[in-house]
Amino acid sequence: AKVAGKNCFRFYSRAMDQAVERRVHLEHELRGAWDRGELSLAYQPVFRLVDGAMIGAEALLRWKHPELGVVAPSVFIDVAEQSGLIEVLGPQVLRQACADAVRWQESRKGEEPLFLAVNVSPRQLRNGDLPDVVEASLRETGLPADLLHLELTETAVIGDERHASSLLSQLRGMGVKVWLDDFGTGFSGLSHLRRVPVDGVKIDRSFVADVLRDPDDLALTTAIIAMAHSLGILVVAEGVEKEGQYAILRERGCDFAQGYWLGHPVTADEFMAVAC
Ligand code: C2E
Ligand code: CA
Ligand code: CA
Ligand code: CA
């Protein structure tokens, strides 16, 4: 048993070394990825449930490395966050996305403008220059502030509520909308809404996934919608993969929805082709 234990340890420790090595390698490769043109933005449409109209899109970062292939955002965003690289990447993403969104509006003349939702990581929020970065992106691209929605996770807000609240107020003062992402996954979610000023919440897709077969998830989703509305906050459901989920969310008064059943994330050019 002792010997096996030793081998086990050696095995796990080598596996750990490899994991660390891989992260260091990813970080190194990610550092130059934007300049080498390996990073791009995909856009996933968001729809309004009352009339089914497309009303906006979420920008999602993609990385295609020549040797590693496609690296999942859940992996490389974490690397960027841990290494601090997100503080360089975040502003680049924001600027590119705003420029793309300006192109949508230009070729949709006369139609309802589409909002642009951009994910902001906890580290970007903690770094106090977010309002300056946002202001510069809007000024340089000419995107109207009210068309920009920033998506923050609950965890980003929980750390330092006072700091977060004042930053969010500053952003909302500029006319930018603030949404809480992955809503419902943090236990303190509901009570937070009283203290943190937001325009909307995105119900996490783990609730949406089970809304047809788990009465608890349906009850929670219905409660989130009712509570958000009573506070004057809008609700998006994410991860809608089935018509039945769409139907029940619509029946429960959810405002907006997003998911594979409605539309997958597509390249900027593909999005232009369908939206404009
Ligand atoms: P998120 O913000 O919750 O984004 C939604 C994720 O769900 C996306 O994954 C999207 O492709 C996926 N999705 C959309 N519809 C469906 C559906 O119907 N079913 C399922 N199962 N999934 C669906 P993706 O693109 O892999 O991104 C993962 C996460 O990486 C994002 O989660 C976000 O937290 C982060 N991320 C992506 N782009 C950025 C970025 O530019 N900046 C920052 N800070 N984070 C980003
Ligand atoms: Ca998001
Ligand atoms: Ca989410
Ligand atoms: Ca469940």
Side-chain angles (χ1 to χ4, degrees), residues 61-185:
L61 193 55
R62 297 287 177 259
W63 183 17
K64 194 169 179 206
H65 184 276
E67 278 110 45
L68 301 167
V70 173
V71 185
S74 55
V75 173
F76 75 79
I77 292 289
D78 189 50
V79 169
E81 178 76 10
Q82 300 296 326
S83 64
L85 212 54
I86 197 75
E87 288 175 36
V88 180
L89 270 180
Q92 287 169 325
V93 163
L94 185 64
R95 213 210 116 111
Q96 178 66 53
C98 288
D100 287 343
V102 166
R103 287 201 300 141
W104 310 339
Q105 321 306 341
E106 279 167 357
S107 49
R108 274 173 65 90
K109 277 190 217 77
E111 284 177 82
E112 205 178 341
L114 297 174
F115 68 72
L116 163 73
V118 178
N119 292 287
V120 172
S121 81
R123 189 148 179 166
Q124 284 175 275
L125 188 67
R126 254 176 284 136
N127 171 341
D129 71 1
L130 185 63
D132 292 340
V133 167
V134 168
E135 207 269 324
S137 288
L138 295 175
R139 182 167 28 81
E140 285 162 23
T141 60
L143 184 72
D146 63 339
L147 293 182
L148 179 61
H149 295 192
L150 298 179
E151 298 192 359
L152 310 153
T153 54
E154 278 183 86
T155 41
V157 176
I158 283 163
D160 186 350
E161 255 177 44
R162 287 246 310 265
H163 174 71
S165 298
S166 90
L167 265 184
L168 300 193
S169 301
Q170 205 180 330
L171 287 162
R172 293 179 81 212
M174 294 163 49
V176 170
K177 309 261 188 264
V178 174
W179 287 75
L180 269 194
D181 208 347
D182 306 338
F183 190 75
T185 51

Side-chain angles (χ1 to χ4, degrees), residues 1-12:
K2 234 181 185 170
V3 174
K6 242 186 188 166
N7 284 339
C8 252
F9 174 73
R10 203 171 295 139
F11 173 76
Y12 282 122

